[in-house]
Amino acid sequence: MWWFQEGFCALPAFLVVWSSATFILPYVTAVMLRHVDPWLPYISDSGIQPPERCLFGIMLNISSFLGMATIYVRYKQVQVLMREEHRVHRLNALGLGLGFGSCLGMCVVANFQKSVLIGMHFLGAIMTFGLGMLYVLVQSAVSYHMQPHVHSKRVFLVRLAMGLWSLASVIIMVVSSGIMYSSLPAVDAILKSHWVPGMPAYTAHLVSTIAEWSVAFSFVTFFLTYIRDFQKITLQAEAELQSNHLYDSTRYNESSHYREESPLLAGSI
């Protein structure tokens, strides 16, 4: 059996690979078509012009769905492992809400380009990065409470490092973006796709874009830490039929009760 066939670990592994491709492929396409500069544009600058806009949108929507699925599985796993710890349950529920909010923000970013609806695009970006950073920190706190009986201290320290990495990147991105927008008219700074060294606010723009890419890959790196945990979990899909005839209008009774169970993405893929 291959490592990705153990338990449910294929889900976070696929999320990491797909999300990385979501950031890189539209960027490469935009650079090849000379729609953006090669030296680190904003991630969403690769989603302004077609055809990379179409690629960016559909791939980011799929990443959002994969992220929600991974976050939910993690929520259920912690819920079972720490069933007696009410503090962990509260943190776990908070993490679920923050994670879902971050994934919803990804959908907003994917479907509302900043060249069309700037306000909605910025709202989606704030949800994605802000709530995503808080999710990583909350899950780090959950891992702290799960050590040493469920998690090793090393797992907690790695996740804490990912959380501090994302926090520092978000702060740098916000500060440098504020400096950039204060030096240029807001519309020019937002819609500008080509930057040349020596231009006003070029340094602030560069720092801001580097920080944005750093935040994105801090999230991707964090989900790598779920792979080993997910090797120890299997989810079951259960179907209950109330009749053996799909057009039967009779009411439910015990004699016509059928049940089928099968694993979701586990064991033999």
Side-chain angles (χ1 to χ4, degrees):
M1 179 183 293
W2 294 92
W3 64 268
F4 58 83
Q5 293 180 282
E6 297 182 30
F8 221 62
C9 72
L11 180 59
F14 187 54
L15 170 64
V16 168
V17 173
W18 185 270
S19 298
S20 300
T22 300
F23 302 141
I24 294 171
L25 292 182
Y27 162 73
V28 172
T29 304
V31 170
M32 292 178 64
L33 295 175
R34 298 183 179 179
H35 292 164
V36 297
D37 294 323
W39 183 236
L40 285 188
Y42 285 113
I43 295 173
S44 55
D45 284 350
S46 301
I48 294 178
Q49 298 188 53
E52 63 267 18
R53 178 174 68 188
C54 309
L55 185 63
F56 180 76
I58 192 170
M59 292 187 74
L60 196 58
N61 280 319
I62 295 174
S63 289
S64 174
F65 171 76
L66 292 172
M68 292 183 75
T70 303
I71 288 166
Y72 180 73
V73 173
R74 172 63 178 175
Y75 167 77
K76 296 298 291 184
Q77 184 183 46
V78 173
Q79 192 178 43
V80 172
L81 288 172
M82 306 295 289
R83 64 186 66 186
E84 302 298 331
E85 298 290 337
H86 299 293
R87 179 183 300 178
V88 176
H89 280 192
R90 288 194 293 269
L91 284 172
N92 195 32
L94 176 61
L96 180 69
L98 292 171
F100 277 12
S102 179
C103 292
L104 178 61
M106 290 173 60
C107 285
V108 174
V109 169
N111 296 286
F112 295 90
Q113 294 80 29
K114 68 179 184 179
S115 59
V116 180
L117 287 173
I118 295 174
M120 285 298 296
H121 184 85
F122 273 13
L123 175 62
I126 291 171
M127 292 173 63
T128 301
F129 293 125
L131 298 182
M133 177 264 295
L134 292 175
Y135 172 79
V136 173
L137 292 174
V138 167
Q139 282 299 321
S140 299
V142 169
S143 295
Y144 172 78
H145 288 289
M146 295 176 73
Q147 54 140 3
H149 304 293
V150 179
H151 276 316
S152 66
K153 187 175 183 179
R154 182 174 62 181
V155 172
F156 160 66
L157 292 175
V158 169
R159 288 177 179 166
L160 178 62
M162 298 298 102
L164 296 177
W165 173 13
S166 63
L167 175 61
S169 298
V170 167
I171 293 173
I172 293 171
M173 181 177 64
V174 170
V175 172
S176 56
S177 296
I179 295 173
M180 180 184 67
Y181 292 139
S182 66
S183 303
L184 290 174
V187 175
D188 290 347
I190 292 170
L191 300 181
K192 198 172 188 61
S193 299
H194 297 280
W195 293 77
V196 179
M199 293 179 61
Y202 174 79
T203 301
H205 162 77
L206 187 60
V207 172
S208 178
T209 56
I210 292 173
E212 185 186 57
W213 283 86
S214 177
V215 174
F217 279 99
S218 71
F219 294 164
V220 172
T221 307
F222 178 81
F223 283 112
L224 277 174
T225 68
Y226 281 177
I227 291 177
R228 188 170 183 179
D229 291 354
F230 278 37
Q231 289 178 329
K232 305 298 191 297
I233 185 172
T234 301
L235 296 186
Q236 297 284 338
E238 180 178 305
E240 293 189 8
L241 302 180
Q242 298 182 4
S243 172
N244 62 351
H245 194 290
L246 296 179
Y247 299 98
D248 188 358
S249 60
T250 58
R251 295 177 61 85
Y252 167 80
N253 59 76
E254 291 294 334
S255 62
S256 60
H257 184 224
Y258 301 87
R259 174 177 296 177
E260 189 274 337
E261 294 184 1
S262 57
L264 288 175
L265 199 66
S268 57
I269 300 178

